[in-house]
């Protein structure tokens, strides 16, 4: 099908369409929103994109998103250093933090074991988790997503962590 638009506007629609969860209609709406916005607003948007790419990285300790070597959670001395909650992605950490109930540390895997997509244990931050567990950690809470790959990842981690003599629990879902 021939695109209705051409040039820069079609290029922008195509770029938005590549974002996860954005379909063609949403991509078109976002492109036209940018087109209608004043130049200063668009420049702030562009600068925010540049800043994210230039400054944001992953915490060296847990894998969360940060602008420094360690994220705010890992730097917080009030956190319980004896408990690590394992999540798939930084957005999962944010969901748990919103509850304001959990006061331990986190470990972000960077995904889930998914052989159909070619993601194995070596592609995730599992070795880093095992290195952290060797210290004063008294419990690991698995909070992987309640999907087939999330459950498979939790089963793998449970099996491996039990050999390290650390109690493993699973975050309830439902």
């Amino acid at each position: 099908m021939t695109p209705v638009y051409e040039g820069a506007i079609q290029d922008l629609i195509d770029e938005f369409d590549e974002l996860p969860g954005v379909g063609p209609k949403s991509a078109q709406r976002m492109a036209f929103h940018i087109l209608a916005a004043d130049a200063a607003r668009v420049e702030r948007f562009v600068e925010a994109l540049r800043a994210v790419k230039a400054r944001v990285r992953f915490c060296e300790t847990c894998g969360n998103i940060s602008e420094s070597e360690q994220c705010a959670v890992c730097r917080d001395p009030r956190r319980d250093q004896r408990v690590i909650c394992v999540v798939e992605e930084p957005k999962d950490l944010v969901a748990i933090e919103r509850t304001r109930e959990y006061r331990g540390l986190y470990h972000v895997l960077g995904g889930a074991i998914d052989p159909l997509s070619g993601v194995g244990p070596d592609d995730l931050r599992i070795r880093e988790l095992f290195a952290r567990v060797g210290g004063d950690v008294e419990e690991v809470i698995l909070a992987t997503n309640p999907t087939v790959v999330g459950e498979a990842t939790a089963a793998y981690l449970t099996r491996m962590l039990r050999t390290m003599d650390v109690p493993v629990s699973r975050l309830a879902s439902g």
Side-chain angles (χ1 to χ4, degrees):
M1 185 170 133
T2 305
V4 176
Y5 306 104
E6 59 186 5
I9 192 70
Q10 187 61 50
D11 292 344
L12 184 58
I13 292 169
D14 293 344
E15 290 302 319
F16 280 132
D17 194 30
E18 291 294 316
L19 296 173
V22 177
K25 288 187 184 282
S26 293
Q28 184 177 333
R29 275 193 298 277
M30 287 188 282
F32 277 98
H33 176 80
I34 295 292
L35 183 63
D38 63 60
R41 173 72 184 103
V42 173
E43 191 52 44
R44 287 191 306 273
F45 181 71
V46 169
E47 187 49 42
L49 290 173
R50 283 192 183 113
V52 163
K53 290 306 290 176
R55 298 193 316 244
V56 176
R57 55 185 167 178
F58 295 102
C59 174
E60 290 179 358
T61 303
C62 74
N64 188 20
I65 293 172
S66 180
E67 287 193 23
S68 58
E69 288 181 16
Q70 279 196 318
C71 70
V73 173
C74 289
R75 289 191 314 263
D76 187 346
R78 298 168 296 179
R79 291 288 181 155
D80 185 346
Q81 307 286 312
R82 299 166 300 163
V83 183
I84 296 177
C85 181
V86 179
V87 296
E88 290 178 26
E89 302 290 347
K91 64 181 171 59
D92 303 321
L93 180 155
V94 171
I96 294 170
E97 281 297 290
R98 278 194 199 123
T99 68
R100 296 182 182 260
E101 296 292 323
Y102 178 70
R103 297 301 305 155
L105 300 175
Y106 292 94
H107 188 84
V108 181
L109 295 172
I113 297 171
D114 185 0
L116 295 177
S117 297
V119 179
D122 292 338
D123 299 312
L124 304 174
R125 300 185 68 255
I126 293 175
R127 276 189 299 277
E128 293 86 345
L129 172 63
F130 295 157
R132 291 180 70 193
V133 169
D136 297 330
V137 175
E138 295 177 5
E139 181 184 14
V140 174
I141 302 168
L142 301 177
T144 55
N145 295 320
T147 60
V148 172
V149 295
E151 294 295 335
T153 303
Y156 175 83
L157 292 174
T158 299
R159 195 169 50 253
M160 299 303 288
L161 289 166
R162 289 240 165 91
T163 66
M164 301 176 79
D165 261 352
V166 61
V168 177
S169 56
R170 182 84 166 108
L171 190 66
S173 63

